[in-house]
Amino acid sequence: MFQTFETTARPEQGPPRLARLRAALEEADLDGFVIPRADAHQGEYVAPHDERLAWLTGFTGSAGFCIVLPGKAGVFIDGRYRTQVKAQVDLAHFTPVPWPDVKPGPWLREELPKGGRVGFDPWLHTRKEIHEIEKSLDGTGITLSPTRNFVDAIWAHQPDPPLGPVAIHPIEFAGEESASKRARLAEGLRAAGQRAVVLTLPDSISWLLNIRGADVRRNPVVHAFAILFDTGHLTLFIAPEKLSDAVRAHLGREVTIRPPLAFEPALRGLTGPVRVDEGSAPLQVAREFEEAGIEIQWDEDPCLLPKARKNAAEIAGSVEAHLRDAAAMVEFLAWFDDRAPKGGLSEIEVVTELENFRRASNALRDISFETICGSGPNGAIMHYRVTEDTSRELAPGEIVVIDSGAQYLDGTTDITRTVAVGTPSPEHVTCFTRVLKGMIAISRLRWPKGLAGRDLDPFARHALWLAGQDFDHGTGHGVGAYLSVHEGPQRLSRVSHVPLEPGMILSNEPGYYREGAFGIRIENLVVVEEAPDLPGGDAHRKMYAFRTLTHVPIDRRLIDPAALSEEERVWLNDYHAGVFERIAPRVTEAARAWLAEATAAI
């Protein structure tokens, strides 16, 4: 099994660790310290070596941070984790702070009214992040000071940095040779008058070099730093034991291998101007350049958009991966509908069976994140991770949120289905149908070139808003090509300003959550394409649309057909007809019979 179910959050260990940290800060004459959920590569998912936030507080969510002061330790969490954090931290010693409603600067102004010195590790924060906090502290007497990492200093038996082996990502799935990618980016550097760019994001480096790694669970990325020069040459700073002879040969003579300790000296030896992404590179990179007097040009990581705009091979791979994954999901859902009503089925058993169905393809490399299986009140915990301590039996009349995904060589999947155990309640049906209307609205959208995720996000919420409801997460995130299941810069979110472009893959996942009662989420992956012209449309206006990649039935027991418009019913029936056509040939006879009923027209 890829997934395990041990309880990793240890709230009882937080208070003594917090006391030791405060003692270390007092000795260093610091009034506070910031502990992010981040590593030097700013990845959303981190290796055990970098799980500082979880080690100190007990909170295991994929986003957030803690600011420790002498009298208060604030754990900053967004809307996805406001329920989860209450169960994972000792609330007598740690205070949940609703972020980004409350930002760190104003919070510090309130908690340190007489000023103070707050430390942070410059390898774990970006320049943009620190400057935003500093601007909000003007005139307060509070200063942010780069320091050594005081959590590492008190963390006995901290795991070593990861040394996962590097693998070659085959050209049949990558669709473009690494040398070609490097040449394209180098041309952009020359056009901008930049001599080099510093790359620190693991998925950028993995994409650029057509390699994959095993340094972070569920994400086949490589932990490394890189400097790409305007000549197309690249220096890769990586632990040499990660590289086989075959990988070294794949990288070729235009890629120089150096150990990680050589990274800082190499920065100081560059000739500017050097391109640095202030939103992803560690602040320490800028400090090295500033101390050496090297000119910096602040600009985004040049890999971001090319990586997000999937090429034909990557899209074809994703299509096949989703068909394979859909077959596993249909086999699983057929099993679930037969097994769940009989009673005695636990959340852990559901997760285990789903992984077994995916394994049966013999193509599964890993799951793409810890499977979420939340029944009843657990479904209201948006990023719930079932453990041996929290697993509950599914009960008749409940609904279950099952959010899962897989890593295949040809693509990364992510799908959520909310399913009923027996007969759902009228309230379940009403809320589910509102969420479904939002998912269909996104699926049917056409929009003019230049619009961003923030422009599309409201369509997913309209039916909920009319009922005075909403959900506290984005409508969708970008997805990689056998890379991270959460990939930027594209998003369907009210905070996303990145224009959507053809080839971008995103999730479409509106939801609704009622704390202590139930949760609902429906998720398909979609790819941006050029929309076909329509009779009477503006010939000069380029339009885009989504093509749905996920082909798995949506639970018809949870749908109120009377609440759907004619256009919504047509979309749903067409979608289900397409699911049956594509997936029926790929499943067993028993699953095919279930699928025929599950995709019947409404």
Side-chain angles (χ1 to χ4, degrees):
M1 286 291 295
F2 287 117
Q3 186 151 335
T4 59
F5 305 100
E6 73 279 5
T7 300
T8 57
R10 302 291 184 186
E12 73 280 0
Q13 295 179 351
R17 292 171 177 175
L18 180 61
R20 295 206 304 275
L21 177 58
R22 282 179 169 144
L25 297 178
E26 183 178 9
E27 185 176 345
D29 197 27
L30 285 171
D31 298 289
F33 191 71
V34 185
I35 304 95
R37 159 71 183 194
D39 56 22
H41 307 278
Q42 293 300 308
E44 177 180 355
Y45 300 98
V46 298
H49 170 80
D50 298 299
E51 291 179 341
R52 299 174 181 88
L53 182 63
W55 180 84
L56 178 68
T57 69
F59 172 64
T60 62
S62 63
F65 55 95
C66 179
I67 302 179
V68 173
L69 304 178
K72 182 175 283 190
V75 181
F76 291 70
I77 37 81
D78 63 33
R80 296 171 295 173
Y81 296 112
R82 290 173 190 172
T83 300
Q84 177 178 326
V85 72
K86 298 173 188 175
Q88 290 192 317
V89 307
D90 185 326
L91 296 175
H93 293 82
F94 295 94
T95 303
V97 180
W99 169 72
D101 305 23
V102 177
K103 297 185 184 298
W107 186 83
L108 284 169
R109 295 173 74 110
E110 181 73 21
E111 300 298 334
L112 288 175
K114 297 181 180 179
R117 182 167 164 256
V118 178
F120 69 93
D121 182 342
W123 279 105
L124 304 184
H125 300 267
T126 67
R127 175 182 182 269
K128 181 178 180 181
E129 176 189 355
I130 294 302
H131 277 210
E132 286 179 355
I133 299 175
E134 288 177 332
K135 283 191 296 185
S136 67
L137 294 176
D138 283 349
T140 65
I142 301 172
T143 59
L144 298 183
S145 300
T147 66
R148 67 190 179 103
N149 196 301
F150 285 90
V151 172
D152 291 0
I154 66 167
W155 188 352
H157 311 298
Q158 181 181 16
D160 292 330
L163 292 174
V166 174
I168 301 167
H169 190 51
I171 188 62
E172 64 185 287
F173 302 130
E176 183 182 8
E177 296 286 358
S178 172
S180 172
K181 295 178 183 179
R182 286 185 276 114
R184 279 199 292 137
L185 299 192
E187 183 179 359
L189 294 178
R190 293 193 298 271
Q194 298 161 347
R195 301 294 301 276
V197 60
V198 177
L199 302 175
T200 61
L201 292 174
D203 56 343
S204 289
I205 295 169
S206 300
W207 170 84
L208 181 61
L209 296 177
N210 288 346
I211 56 177
R212 296 297 186 264
D215 286 325
V216 182
R217 287 189 296 264
R218 318 304 177 221
N219 295 267
V221 296
V222 177
H223 270 187
F225 296 110
I227 300 171
L228 175 66
F229 295 90
D230 61 353
T231 61
H233 187 94
L234 183 140
T235 302
L236 181 67
F237 301 89
I238 188 170
E241 53 266 50
K242 293 182 182 182
L243 304 176
S244 66
D245 290 342
V247 171
R248 290 175 182 270
H250 162 78
L251 293 174
R253 289 175 293 183
E254 290 299 305
V255 175
T256 299
I257 309 299
R258 303 284 302 281
L261 288 177
F263 182 53
E264 287 180 78
L267 293 175
R268 293 191 290 269
L270 292 177
T271 300
V274 179
R275 179 171 178 162
V276 182
D277 188 335
E278 69 170 351
S280 63
L283 176 63
Q284 185 61 29
V285 170
R287 297 178 76 223
E288 296 289 346
F289 287 141
E290 289 164 359
E291 290 176 9
I294 298 169
E295 181 185 353
I296 301 172
Q297 286 192 5
W298 302 108
D299 205 345
E300 72 175 14
D301 178 334
C303 299
L304 291 182
L305 283 174
K307 174 169 56 67
R309 295 185 293 240
K310 307 297 184 291
N311 60 41
E314 290 170 319
I315 293 173
S318 186
V319 167
E320 178 57 32
H322 278 84
L323 293 173
R324 181 187 310 116
D325 203 58
M329 282 294 303
V330 166
E331 296 282 1
F332 161 75
L333 289 171
W335 168 86
F336 181 91
D337 265 7
D338 176 67
R339 176 67 181 81
K342 297 175 182 177
L345 183 64
S346 72
E347 292 171 342
I348 285 179
E349 289 176 282
V350 171
V351 173
T352 300
E353 284 301 314
L354 176 51
E355 185 172 317
N356 286 338
F357 281 114
R358 283 194 166 109
R359 282 180 175 275
S361 70
N362 294 319
L364 183 68
R365 310 291 292 194
D366 200 345
I367 53 177
S368 56
F369 56 94
E370 299 289 296
T371 298
I372 297 166
C373 176
S375 63
N378 286 346
I381 305 172
M382 298 175 202
H383 280 207
Y384 169 70
R385 174 183 176 270
V386 59
T387 70
E388 293 166 354
D389 293 335
T390 65
S391 181
R392 61 190 298 275
E393 289 190 359
L394 282 55
E398 289 186 337
I399 55 177
V400 186
V401 177
I402 305 171
D403 186 351
S404 68
Q407 294 284 10
Y408 304 106
L409 275 177
D410 48 2
T412 300
T413 71
D414 184 1
I415 174 175
T416 307
R417 289 295 182 263
T418 300
V419 293
V421 181
T423 304
S425 73
E427 184 71 3
H428 292 152
V429 172
T430 298
C431 293
F432 182 94
T433 304
R434 290 182 188 131
V435 173
L436 176 61
K437 288 168 75 72
M439 196 273 283
I440 293 174
I442 294 294
S443 304
R444 297 180 62 236
L445 274 179
R446 295 172 57 98
W447 68 94
K449 176 183 177 180
L451 296 192
R454 65 172 183 172
D455 303 308
L456 276 56
D457 178 86
F459 288 90
R461 303 174 190 270
H462 180 243
L464 289 165
W465 286 350
L466 289 177
Q469 299 172 338
D470 202 356
F471 53 95
D472 292 322
H473 57 75
T475 295
H477 54 82
V479 179
Y482 188 45
L483 276 173
S484 302
V485 73
H486 289 177
E487 175 183 271
Q490 73 276 22
R491 296 169 64 186
L492 288 174
S493 164
R494 63 188 65 175
V495 299
S496 179
H497 300 260
V498 177
L500 299 178
E501 301 183 50
M504 289 181 171
I505 295 177
L506 303 102
S507 65
N508 170 13
E509 52 176 311
Y512 178 67
Y513 311 89
R514 186 167 296 171
E515 187 171 351
F518 63 87
I520 296 166
R521 187 161 61 251
I522 312 170
E523 177 186 18
N524 285 343
L525 295 194
V526 294
V527 60
V528 180
E529 296 183 331
E530 291 190 10
D533 293 335
L534 295 177
D538 294 340
H540 68 281
R541 199 180 305 278
K542 186 176 289 295
M543 303 287 289
Y544 294 151
F546 289 125
R547 172 163 60 105
T548 298
L549 298 172
T550 306
H551 303 291
V552 175
I554 297 165
D555 195 337
R556 294 164 62 251
R557 294 166 296 187
L558 286 163
I559 302 171
D560 176 7
L564 298 180
S565 69
E566 179 62 25
E567 292 83 2
E568 289 167 340
R569 283 195 295 273
V570 168
W571 183 92
L572 182 64
N573 287 336
D574 286 348
Y575 174 73
H576 274 156
V579 168
F580 186 82
E581 179 183 354
R582 292 175 174 88
I583 307 306
R586 292 173 172 257
V587 297
T588 61
E589 184 176 346
R592 192 177 309 121
W594 175 90
L595 183 62
E597 183 176 347
T599 57
I602 62 170

